[in-house]
């Protein structure tokens, strides 16, 4: 039947965008189950997907389809009568048809008990009946299969080509489709692609929100819609005129679900809204500590909130962590303000984060596990700091210190962090106990951004302030930092004095990690000064401690060990040290780039000039293109320059330049693979003429293994949505209709799947992809071109400083 009782016609008036894989999976699942429930958050498009799927089943004549909308109903008796009437049954249950039927029960979340009672009596008596339900929460009935409906696939944030990603994104496609209904000349362009990508991402790919945002295009350009999304609950109030009241606005849709929660669930959801960066059970319990009953029941409440599609698990690590969709979080925050609970909730958040960050003030070297925890809480740290920025609370000095500690070790564009640090220093008392921590943060950020004068000034302030308070572990770390800054500024003797004082503090206070780092840095000074025997002894004392306890800080000492081996002309040892550097997770890309250059120097001295020049070209691109990558000190620049000159003397200039340019064209991961050598399974390039990229080949090979999208994402260290995007590209490129066809094609091609992730204690490449990519050279139109049209020899002068 083409129409349904109590519902709009199955033939919809608006186009259906995307969800091709979901429709295929539903068609595969339905014959195997009697009850299939589509669950998902408000606005995820559960109803639209169910109706599209039901329409397909109706057209195939496999089922007689009836649809009952439950949103206007609440009385169990009325629901029963409506369903029985729609199924053409008499009140005594006598059947009038032998044909298979598909009953779509739409919007079950407010009548779960009534639906459960009805279906447990209805399904056993009708073998030919199958039920497709939509609900924000599963019915929890025997034999029920649950299908999670999430947001539409988003553009890959790591892609260099935003326009191409938008063309392949179902979320952006929906936005454009709905925008064109009101503005027929609206087009996706290079200019508006970043705005559309950001709009869809901030709306979590939810179709209801995207449709409402797209209707604003008639009044506001994409850039302005993007700018107004900070108040998306007030902005997105333009649902279809004849839709249910709860679909008239994003706010109404969220309120519908909120009103169905218990008071304890509502209370915890409100308080979780102060955690925009996600949370674990410990953070949730801390935020809810004002209500002992809620705090004690946090694990159970989190399970219920996840079941009701209000929070979702994130990450594949060993600890539980959740996030709230941005629209839900903003609604919860609105309710938090209405209940006047915001002040206390934020105080508990700041107190908890402050406790987490105390090692930054108390320890000489922050443990790697603590840094990892700060990285997890980065968004929450920033949110808390911004909350404190209007006042003089000294805790913001500690929080910005932790934020900077994470971000100085990354190639990332976070200019506002330096502003937050400066604001904290300006707005708090000069006598604050945490002031030297923030001064050190300011110095680290300035050093990262190559602002040497500012870095030195802030480091001097921090050292003098902490020196007046005694020879603490923190003073040791500050002296080590100032020594690094002075070395960058080619102030070798002053740097050596600072590091020796830090070493003295480390030995006196029995701070083994600080002592090992200082010995490693002193060894670097000794190598540069020709004191090779002394340097070898210091490295021999430092490396065992760092390998055992703080591998995150191992990189600079390994680079120094490789440099020492180069000075002794022990090329196998030098190559081994640089290889170990590249296989060890890095805290900062400085050391990675220097290790690549070290591998190039080894290649030059062994006559492998093609390898050397490609590595130098890759390192040059990284130094030029990556924020925060410094040029190295004069001693190291001289070694690199000598190695490059050897190659240019041995090869024709045109050939040497071609190798250098080829290296400049390599991606970060390709450069790492080249530096590590053939014995390491690194990122591979596509086979010549192969229709798929290497990453797409890897995805296709993992589909053959039977892995789900989530398992593929975990294996490849990318998001689930990125995997979905790759699968869509594969099917489009190859003209394949389904995932099964992709698997069959991949099996015929005999593609090699990427290796499973190694154990956490093994030595491997960095476990996650780069967050930001190198900008393309400024001049467009050529496959490989140096900045500002420079030749390879001109770029050499840039790298040489």
């Amino acid at each position: 039947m083409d129409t349904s009782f109590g519902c709009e016609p199955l033939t919809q008036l608006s186009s259906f965008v995307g969800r091709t894989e979901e429709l295929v999976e539903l068609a595969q699942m339905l014959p195997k189950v009697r009850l299939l429930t589509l669950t998902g958050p408000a606005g995820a498009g559960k109803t639209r997907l169910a109706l599209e799927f039901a329409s397909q089943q109706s057209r195939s004549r496999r089922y007689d389809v009836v649809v009952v909308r439950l949103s206007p109903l609440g009385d169990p008796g009325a629901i029963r009568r409506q369903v029985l009437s729609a199924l053409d049954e008499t009140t005594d249950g006598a059947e009038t048809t032998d044909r298979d039927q598909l009953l779509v029960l739409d919007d079950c979340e407010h009548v779960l008990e009534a639906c459960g009672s009805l279906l447990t009596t209805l399904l056993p008596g009708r073998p030919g009946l199958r039920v497709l339900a939509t609900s924000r929460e599963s019915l929890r009935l025997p034999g029920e299969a649950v299908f999670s409906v999430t947001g539409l696939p988003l553009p890959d944030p790591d892609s260099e080509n935003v326009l191409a990603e938008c063309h392949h994104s179902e979320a952006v496609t929906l936005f454009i489709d709905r925008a064109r209904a009101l503005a027929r000349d609206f087009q996706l362009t290079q200019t508006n692609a970043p705005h559309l990508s950001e709009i869809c991402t901030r709306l979590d790919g939810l179709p209801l929100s995207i449709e409402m945002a797209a209707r604003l295009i008639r009044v506001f350009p994409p850039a302005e819609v993007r700018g107004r999304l900070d108040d998306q609950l007030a902005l997105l109030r333009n649902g279809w005129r004849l839709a249910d009241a709860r679909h008239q606005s994003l706010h109404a849709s969220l309120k519908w679900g909120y009103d169905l929660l218990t008071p304890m669930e509502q209370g915890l959801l409100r308080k979780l809204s102060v955690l925009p960066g996600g949370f674990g059970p410990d953070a949730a319990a801390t935020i809810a500590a004002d209500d002992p009953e809620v705090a004690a029941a946090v694990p159970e409440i989190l399970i219920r909130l996840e079941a009701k599609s209000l929070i979702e698990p994130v990450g594949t690590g060993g600890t539980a962590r959740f996030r709230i969709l941005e629209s839900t979080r903003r609604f919860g925050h609105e309710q938090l303000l209405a209940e006047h609970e915001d002040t206390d909730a934020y105080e508990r958040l700041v107190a908890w984060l402050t406790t987490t960050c105390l090692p930054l003030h108390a320890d000489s070297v922050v443990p790697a596990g603590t840094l990892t925890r700060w990285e997890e809480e980065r968004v929450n740290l920033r949110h808390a700091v911004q909350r404190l920025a209007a006042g003089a609370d000294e805790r913001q000095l500690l929080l910005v210190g932790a934020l900077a500690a994470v971000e100085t070790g990354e190639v990332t564009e976070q200019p506002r962090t330096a502003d937050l640090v400066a604001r904290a220093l300006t707005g708090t008392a000069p006598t604050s106990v945490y002031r030297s921590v923030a001064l050190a943060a300011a110095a680290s950020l300035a050093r990262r951004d190559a602002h040497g004068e500012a870095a030195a000034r802030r480091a001097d302030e921090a050292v003098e302030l902490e020196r007046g308070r005694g020879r603490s572990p923190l003073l040791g770390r500050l002296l080590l930092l100032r020594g690094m800054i002075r070395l960058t500024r080619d102030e070798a003797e002053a740097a050596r004095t600072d590091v020796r004082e830090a070493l003295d503090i480390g030995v006196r206070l029995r701070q083994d990690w600080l002592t090992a780092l200082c010995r490693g840095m002193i060894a670097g000074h000794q190598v540069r000064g020709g004191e090779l025997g002394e340097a070898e002894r210091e490295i021999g004392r430092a490396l065992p401690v760092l390998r055992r306890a703080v591998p995150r800080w191992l990189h600079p000492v390994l680079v120094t060990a490789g440099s020492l081996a180069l000075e002794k002309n022990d090329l196998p040892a030098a190559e081994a040290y640089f290889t170990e550097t590249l296989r060890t997770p890095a805290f900062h890309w400085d050391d990675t780039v220097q290790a690549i250059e070290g591998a190039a120097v080894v290649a030059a001295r062994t006559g492998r000039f093609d390898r050397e020049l490609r590595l130098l070209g890759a390192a040059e691109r990284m130094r030029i293109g990556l924020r925060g990558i410094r040029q190295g000190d004069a001693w190291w620049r001289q070694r690199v320059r000598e190695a490059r000159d050897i190659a240019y003397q041995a090869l024709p200039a045109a050939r040497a330049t071609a190798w250098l340019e080829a290296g400049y064209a390599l991606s970060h991961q390709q450069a790492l693979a080249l530096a590590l050598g053939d014995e390491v399974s690194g990122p591979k390039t596509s086979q010549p003429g192969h229709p798929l990229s290497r990453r797409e080949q890897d995805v296709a090979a993992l589909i053959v293994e039977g892995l789900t999208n989530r398992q593929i994402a975990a294996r490849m260290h990318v998001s689930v949505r990125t995997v979905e995007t790759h699968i869509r590209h594969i099917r489009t490129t190859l003209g394949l209709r389904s995932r099964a066809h992709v698997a069959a094609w991949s099996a015929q091609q005999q593609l090699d799947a990427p290796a499973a992730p190694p154990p956490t204690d093994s030595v491997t490449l960095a476990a996650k992809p780069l967050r930001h990519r190198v900008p393309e050279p400024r001049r467009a139109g050529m496959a490989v071109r140096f900045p500002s049209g420079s030749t390879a020899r001109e770029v050499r002068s840039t790298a040489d400083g």
Side-chain angles (χ1 to χ4, degrees):
M1 38 196 319
D2 293 329
T3 60
S4 55
F5 202 95
C7 183
E8 66 271 17
L10 287 178
T11 302
Q12 301 294 295
L13 299 180
S14 61
S15 59
F16 183 79
V17 176
R19 303 289 196 197
T20 304
E21 288 189 22
E22 288 90 335
L23 290 170
V24 171
E25 290 186 51
L26 290 174
Q28 293 172 343
M29 292 177 69
L30 187 63
K32 303 173 185 177
V33 298
R34 301 289 307 283
L35 171 60
L36 177 57
T37 304
L38 307 186
T39 63
K46 301 180 293 294
T47 296
R48 191 69 172 86
L49 176 61
L51 293 178
E52 183 69 20
F53 177 68
S55 180
Q56 288 186 358
Q57 298 302 309
S58 178
R59 290 194 299 271
S60 71
R61 302 187 181 278
R62 175 76 184 271
Y63 299 97
D64 280 340
V65 177
V66 291
V67 181
V68 176
R69 297 184 61 194
L70 300 179
S71 56
L73 305 176
D75 177 63
I79 292 172
R80 182 177 184 82
R81 289 191 298 273
Q82 190 85 307
V83 170
L84 293 179
S85 178
L87 290 172
D88 293 327
E89 289 189 353
T90 61
T91 55
D92 63 0
E95 296 188 18
T96 59
T97 177
D98 293 327
R99 293 174 298 183
D100 288 349
Q101 292 180 301
L102 175 62
L103 169 64
V104 178
L105 291 179
D106 188 33
D107 295 328
C108 300
E109 57 265 9
H110 64 300
V111 286
L112 294 173
E113 293 294 332
C115 289
S117 176
L118 172 64
L119 293 179
T120 50
T121 59
L122 189 64
L123 286 170
R126 295 183 62 91
L129 174 65
R130 283 175 168 75
V131 177
L132 178 66
T134 72
S135 175
R136 299 186 191 183
E137 180 179 3
S138 68
L139 277 65
R140 288 194 294 172
L141 296 178
E144 177 186 25
V146 178
F147 186 92
S148 178
V149 181
T150 58
L152 293 169
L154 296 164
D156 184 353
D158 293 327
S159 174
E160 296 179 0
N161 192 334
V162 178
L163 181 61
E165 282 297 314
C166 285
H167 275 299
H168 292 292
S169 166
E170 292 180 1
V172 176
T173 300
L174 176 64
F175 186 100
I176 294 170
D177 181 86
R178 299 303 189 252
R180 284 178 178 169
L182 297 175
R184 295 184 60 186
D185 59 344
F186 183 78
Q187 299 289 335
L188 174 64
T189 66
Q190 190 76 47
T191 301
N192 66 27
H195 301 304
L196 299 187
S197 175
E198 178 72 12
I199 289 169
C200 293
T201 298
R202 291 184 62 183
L203 296 177
D204 295 301
L206 297 178
L208 177 64
S209 301
I210 290 173
E211 290 193 358
M212 291 182 185
R215 291 179 206 138
L216 300 172
I217 289 298
R218 189 170 181 177
V219 179
F220 302 117
E224 191 163 350
V225 174
R226 174 185 179 179
R228 291 174 177 268
L229 285 182
D230 285 341
D231 194 15
Q232 58 183 254
L233 295 182
L235 183 67
L236 304 180
R237 294 181 175 272
N238 53 347
W240 299 117
R241 187 183 303 277
L242 298 181
D244 288 342
R246 64 191 178 93
H247 287 150
Q248 289 289 340
S249 71
L250 179 59
H251 188 278
S253 182
L254 293 167
K255 189 175 187 305
W256 163 273
Y258 180 78
D259 290 342
L260 297 176
L261 301 178
T262 67
M264 290 177 65
E265 292 167 347
Q266 289 178 344
L268 184 58
L269 186 67
R270 290 195 301 269
K271 290 160 188 171
L272 293 176
S273 69
V274 304
L275 294 163
F279 53 90
D282 57 341
T286 300
I287 299 302
D290 63 318
D291 188 332
E293 185 179 4
V294 172
V298 158
E300 179 187 348
I301 298 174
L302 291 178
I303 292 171
R304 298 206 301 261
L305 291 177
E306 190 278 332
K308 296 177 180 181
S309 305
L310 290 165
I311 64 175
E312 61 182 24
V314 293
T316 57
T319 58
R321 192 166 180 87
F322 306 87
R323 69 180 284 261
I324 314 178
L325 295 180
E326 182 60 17
S327 55
T328 303
R329 190 189 72 81
R330 289 185 179 276
F331 178 84
H333 198 267
E334 179 185 280
Q335 303 306 307
L336 185 78
L337 295 174
E339 297 291 335
H340 305 290
E341 298 171 333
D342 54 310
T343 300
D344 290 343
Y346 275 106
E347 173 55 34
R348 289 190 294 276
L349 170 64
V350 171
W352 175 69
L353 289 174
T354 299
T355 301
T356 304
C357 297
L358 283 176
L360 192 60
H361 183 257
D363 297 343
S364 58
V365 178
V366 177
T370 302
L371 281 168
T372 301
R373 182 65 184 272
W374 293 347
E375 186 173 0
E376 281 186 340
E377 303 299 339
R378 178 203 312 238
V379 176
N380 294 330
L381 281 167
R382 183 176 295 275
H383 188 60
V385 168
Q386 290 169 337
R387 173 87 178 184
L388 295 175
D393 191 322
E394 69 174 7
R395 292 176 296 178
Q396 64 185 292
L397 295 167
L398 186 62
L399 301 188
V400 295
L403 195 59
V406 172
E407 293 180 356
T408 50
E410 295 183 342
V411 181
T412 179
E413 293 285 350
Q414 291 288 357
R416 289 186 300 170
T417 301
D419 294 339
L420 291 173
V421 174
R423 188 186 305 168
L425 287 168
T426 302
T428 55
T431 57
S432 169
V433 68
Y434 301 130
R435 186 170 182 82
S436 55
V437 170
L439 287 168
S444 296
L445 292 171
R447 174 175 177 259
R448 181 197 69 179
D449 298 337
H451 299 154
E453 198 67 42
R457 185 175 65 255
R458 289 303 197 184
D460 287 344
E461 291 182 56
V463 168
E464 293 311 311
L465 179 60
E466 202 60 32
R467 196 190 297 280
R469 295 170 177 165
R471 296 167 69 83
S472 66
L474 175 57
L475 176 59
R477 187 172 79 242
L478 295 176
L479 286 164
L480 186 61
L481 171 62
R482 190 170 71 172
M484 293 176 183
I485 292 171
R486 285 176 165 176
L487 183 62
T488 303
R489 291 163 58 80
D490 292 328
E491 300 172 3
E493 193 55 42
R496 192 165 184 161
T497 299
D498 277 344
V499 178
R500 287 205 173 276
E501 184 180 354
L503 175 61
D504 180 53
I505 293 173
V507 172
R508 182 175 303 183
L509 299 180
R510 298 183 179 180
Q511 299 281 316
D512 292 343
W513 298 351
L514 175 62
T515 300
L517 286 172
C518 290
R519 292 193 188 283
M521 192 167 176
I522 287 171
H525 290 288
Q526 292 168 335
V527 170
R528 286 157 176 77
E531 305 169 56
L532 303 188
E534 293 84 347
E536 190 165 15
R537 282 192 293 273
E538 295 290 4
I539 289 173
R541 299 170 73 179
L543 277 181
V545 176
L546 297 176
R547 281 192 173 116
R548 182 176 65 251
V550 280
R552 192 162 185 169
W553 305 112
L554 187 58
H555 262 214
V557 183
L558 286 173
V559 169
T560 297
S563 302
L564 171 62
L566 283 177
E567 290 300 286
K568 296 171 63 178
N569 207 35
D570 185 351
L571 300 183
E575 190 161 30
Y577 280 124
F578 292 131
T579 297
E580 184 180 354
T581 305
L582 296 172
R583 286 177 171 172
T584 306
F587 178 62
H588 198 287
W589 275 91
D590 269 350
D591 304 315
T592 300
V593 175
Q594 193 164 341
I596 291 174
E597 290 173 335
V601 174
V602 172
R605 295 186 184 181
T606 54
R608 294 173 291 169
F609 300 124
D610 58 339
R611 169 181 168 82
E612 174 217 347
L613 290 169
R614 281 185 291 161
L615 289 173
L616 290 182
E620 285 176 354
R621 185 185 187 192
M622 295 169 78
R623 288 199 183 279
I624 293 168
L626 291 178
R627 176 185 175 90
I629 300 296
R630 293 173 293 280
Q631 297 300 326
D633 61 22
W635 182 88
W636 182 252
R637 293 197 301 269
Q638 176 66 22
R639 295 318 185 262
V640 174
R641 183 164 51 243
E642 290 170 354
R644 192 187 289 108
D645 289 344
I646 292 172
Y648 267 87
Q649 290 168 7
L651 299 175
R655 183 178 176 187
T657 300
W659 281 119
L660 196 64
E661 290 179 347
Y664 192 87
L666 295 177
S667 69
H668 298 356
Q669 298 294 345
Q670 289 170 333
L672 287 174
L674 177 62
L676 285 166
D678 296 336
E679 74 278 8
V680 176
S681 179
K684 303 173 186 176
T685 57
S686 299
Q687 300 170 8
H690 201 285
L692 302 182
S693 70
R694 182 64 245 179
R695 181 62 63 87
E696 290 169 349
Q697 292 178 52
D698 289 344
V699 171
L702 292 173
I703 290 176
V704 175
E705 293 188 5
L707 272 62
T708 66
N709 287 358
R710 188 174 298 278
Q711 291 169 330
I712 293 173
R715 175 78 68 88
M716 299 181 66
H717 306 293
V718 297
S719 69
V720 175
R721 284 178 177 162
T722 298
V723 173
E724 293 169 349
T725 300
H726 285 313
I727 293 174
R728 188 171 63 254
H729 288 183
I730 292 168
R731 292 176 53 201
T732 301
T733 301
L734 302 178
L736 300 176
R737 296 182 58 188
S738 71
R739 189 186 186 95
H741 291 156
V742 172
W745 177 88
S746 180
Q748 291 174 351
Q749 298 291 314
Q750 297 183 332
L751 298 178
D752 295 328
T760 55
D761 58 350
S762 66
V763 176
T764 184
L765 244 62
K768 55 184 178 181
L770 292 174
R771 300 185 180 202
H772 295 268
R773 298 184 183 271
V774 179
E776 288 301 315
R778 298 173 196 169
R779 289 181 58 187
M782 294 185 66
V784 179
R785 191 179 291 273
F786 288 83
S788 303
S790 304
T791 65
R793 293 185 184 275
E794 292 169 333
V795 172
R796 280 188 285 161
S797 64
T798 303
D800 294 341

